[in-house]
Amino acid sequence: MSFAPTSISAETGGAAEPATKKSKPGASSYFPSVPDKIQYKGAESTDPLSFRYYNADEVIMGKPMKEWLRFSVCFWHTFRGKGSDPFGFPTQIRHWDDETDSIENAKSRANAAFELFTKLGVEYYTFHDRDVSPERSTLKETNAAMDEIAAHLKSLQDATGVKLLWATQNLFSHPRYMNGAFTNPDAHVFAYGAAQVKKLMDVNHVLGGENLVFWGGREGYFSILNTDMRRDLDHLAALFKMAIRYKEEKGHTYQFLIEPKPREPAKHQYDYDAATAMAFLSIMAYLNEHFKLNIEPNHTTLAGHDFEHDIILSSQYGMLGSVDSNTGDPLVGWDTDQFPMDYKKATLAMGAIVDQGGIAPGGLNFDCKVRRESTDDVDLFIGHIGAMDCFAKGLRNAAKIREEAVLPGMVKERYSSYDEGFGKKIEDGTISLEECEAFVIENGEPKQISGKQELYEMVLNRYM
């Protein structure tokens, strides 16, 4: 979602906005210059509309690549983003979008989206409720519009075989949510957000969504002076408990996911990072039994961690549910949502996914937008192809690393003092402070052992 102006008018002193192109009635293709299906052509290919590393049905460590990767395209950046940023107007004109809030235009966007999905060969997509369906003047009217669009999406899913990875509710764009939804001090706003969640849960179920995401962009604060953090967090937990009850009452089977982010648009967001979110779920009775995390690496780096940090941490605690596979620019201070193109980072991320046996029912969702300066329709394909290849290469690398077991063996050896004897008792929780003291008195000063960071980095580079 953009916080920049969405048009240029005479009132601003700018030039008139170019006339928006519209899709031609009965047009056979929204992307006529793109092949019907992007093909795998191997590592030597220089065709930007081909895969170099992603070969969907190739078996890696006992599974087809498509099952390890479970790629998904997000609707919001790909079909609602137009290149605006906090400092500038939209730059991208899409011929299938007449910029109105009509049902017809919403369907046109969806039609274009499913052509892109099928040509890329991805099996999943994701959306916010307000990405795919317009908001009306009343909740009843908005829900009616959502029902009509959901029926259209269902028909497109049935026709193409593309499935819904997850849906989420937009509780950050409308002015009513300026102080948050479930951490809003006004109970009326809380109720509106809860009603929006209820509707989205029903739609997600009808469309066969395999997960449902909660991202609280405004669930936080701008000033501690007007904030009661404990009440905010209690109210947020209350909403999650309502959602759990409703899901169970209706027999819905999708996985709940929380997506951490430290800030933006709020100054401080309560689900700051993976560790914070997991602690919150553990503190608030039984929530950790019903939720996992949807990790977005660009959010992770905004929290001051490496790209792979939250993926690995949440995976090691059994809490990694899905990944919004993007990256950021370390020299830009906001969430830039770029396509991931770093093989090394993808290798580390895929290593965690391989170690936990896969990411299902989650996936690798490209929460990415082409750059403001990338204005051709085909750039949408190039960005996704490059990112899909990046994670496919990461999967190949991670598999080879585990098959050869050099790096894992080095890590295991580094922690070997905990595998038996005194160290094993520490891990088992059967040792006391007194026994630790006695051990040191008997054994004296520990030996200095090199961490060998440079060697680890050298070994990792062999696989790139």
Side-chain angles (χ1 to χ4, degrees):
M1 294 298 170
S2 170
F3 301 102
T6 57
S7 65
I8 306 174
S9 68
E11 294 177 359
T12 66
E17 185 176 8
T20 303
K21 295 177 286 183
K22 298 183 180 181
S23 57
K24 299 175 182 178
S28 59
S29 176
Y30 292 89
F31 304 99
S33 65
V34 178
D36 287 343
K37 187 172 183 181
I38 303 300
Q39 299 295 320
Y40 168 68
K41 295 185 178 181
E44 302 306 315
S45 176
T46 58
D47 178 3
L49 295 179
S50 72
F51 294 120
R52 300 175 66 231
Y53 298 109
Y54 180 54
N55 187 13
D57 294 317
E58 181 180 343
V59 175
I60 303 285
M61 296 189 76
K63 291 183 185 180
M65 294 187 82
K66 64 183 181 181
E67 291 185 18
W68 281 116
L69 298 164
R70 289 171 61 87
F71 287 135
S72 171
V73 175
C74 82
F75 200 95
W76 53 99
H77 288 318
T78 313
F79 290 95
R80 299 306 304 272
K82 300 296 174 61
S84 59
D85 66 17
F87 300 94
F89 301 102
T91 58
Q92 297 155 358
I93 300 171
R94 305 302 187 197
H95 65 83
W96 56 80
D97 190 341
D98 66 13
E99 302 294 340
T100 69
D101 279 337
S102 70
I103 291 295
E104 292 73 19
N105 193 42
K107 291 179 179 178
S108 177
R109 292 189 196 110
N111 294 343
F114 273 78
E115 182 177 320
L116 179 137
F117 305 156
T118 54
K119 287 189 170 186
L120 280 174
V122 299
E123 296 185 346
Y124 296 94
Y125 74 111
T126 59
F127 65 78
H128 296 88
D129 47 7
R130 302 303 180 247
D131 302 333
V132 296
S133 183
E135 182 145 9
R136 299 309 193 200
S137 58
T138 69
L139 182 63
K140 288 183 67 174
E141 292 171 351
T142 299
N143 288 349
M146 185 76 241
D147 287 336
E148 184 171 351
I149 293 301
H152 186 68
L153 293 172
K154 184 66 165 61
S155 69
L156 292 169
Q157 290 180 198
D158 291 343
T160 62
V162 175
K163 294 164 282 192
L164 180 61
L165 185 68
W166 53 258
T168 187
Q169 46 284 316
N170 180 334
L171 301 174
F172 50 88
S173 292
H174 194 283
R176 79 171 69 89
Y177 298 123
M178 66 180 184
N179 291 308
F182 311 121
T183 60
N184 196 300
D186 184 349
H188 192 161
V189 177
F190 181 107
Y192 208 110
Q196 198 169 324
V197 167
K198 173 183 175 294
K199 182 61 180 179
L200 194 276
M201 289 175 68
D202 290 338
V203 168
N204 189 63
H205 175 68
V206 168
L207 294 178
E210 298 184 23
N211 307 269
L212 189 140
V213 170
F214 292 88
W215 178 66
R218 298 192 188 276
E219 308 301 354
Y221 64 81
F222 284 93
S223 172
I224 200 70
L225 296 176
N226 63 359
T227 301
D228 185 328
M229 288 189 286
R230 176 59 189 266
R231 295 189 81 177
D232 280 355
L233 290 166
D234 286 347
H235 298 161
L236 184 59
L239 181 282
F240 290 154
K241 291 173 183 178
M242 292 178 197
I244 291 168
R245 289 195 299 271
Y246 187 75
K247 175 187 170 186
E248 292 176 342
E249 289 167 2
K250 295 297 181 179
H252 297 178
T253 58
Y254 43 77
Q255 170 70 58
F256 280 143
L257 301 171
I258 291 178
E259 182 176 323
K261 187 178 183 181
R263 67 187 68 85
E264 191 200 45
K267 172 183 175 180
H268 174 83
Q269 192 167 310
Y270 288 128
D271 50 3
Y272 191 91
D273 59 7
T276 306
M278 288 189 293
F280 167 79
L281 291 172
S282 296
I283 290 170
M284 299 297 182
Y286 76 82
L287 290 184
N288 58 341
E289 300 172 12
H290 297 272
F291 285 82
K292 289 190 177 183
L293 302 186
N294 181 47
I295 299 299
E296 180 174 321
N298 197 173
H299 294 177
T300 304
T301 55
L302 286 175
H305 310 306
D306 282 332
F307 173 100
E308 65 278 3
H309 176 275
D310 275 5
I311 293 174
I312 295 172
L313 180 65
S314 59
S315 176
Q316 289 179 342
Y317 278 91
M319 291 295 286
L320 177 62
S322 198
V323 179
D324 266 11
S325 306
N326 64 11
T327 191
D329 189 320
L331 299 182
V332 179
W334 66 80
D335 191 10
T336 55
D337 293 322
Q338 294 171 229
F339 284 95
M341 301 289 184
D342 187 324
Y343 291 163
K344 188 178 294 185
K345 295 299 186 183
T347 298
L348 296 172
M350 287 309 304
I353 291 171
V354 168
D355 286 344
Q356 72 174 32
I359 194 72
L364 300 180
N365 175 54
F366 292 114
D367 183 358
C368 311
K369 54 190 173 188
V370 293
R371 296 302 85 197
R372 173 177 166 79
E373 304 79 19
S374 299
T375 55
D376 293 341
D377 291 350
V378 73
D379 294 329
L380 297 173
F381 283 86
I382 292 170
H384 283 93
I385 291 167
M388 292 167 74
D389 257 348
C390 180
F391 271 89
K393 175 65 169 171
L395 172 61
R396 293 178 183 275
N397 291 345
K400 190 172 183 181
I401 287 169
R402 277 139 188 85
E403 288 164 357
E404 296 184 355
V406 177
L407 268 176
M410 291 165 62
V411 175
K412 181 175 175 57
E413 175 60 28
R414 189 167 186 236
Y415 284 84
S416 61
S417 69
Y418 289 92
D419 292 339
E420 59 185 10
F422 185 82
K424 184 68 164 58
K425 291 181 180 179
I426 294 174
E427 289 199 347
D428 292 343
T430 60
I431 209 80
S432 68
L433 289 176
E434 291 87 350
E435 288 172 289
C436 289
E437 180 184 50
F439 180 87
V440 173
I441 290 172
E442 179 180 350
N443 292 279
E445 185 68 20
K447 295 178 181 179
Q448 181 170 288
I449 302 174
S450 173
K452 298 287 185 183
Q453 178 178 327
E454 297 79 9
L455 177 59
Y456 282 78
E457 292 170 342
M458 180 188 292
V459 172
L460 178 62
N461 280 341
R462 295 175 190 167
Y463 299 91
M464 295 303 113

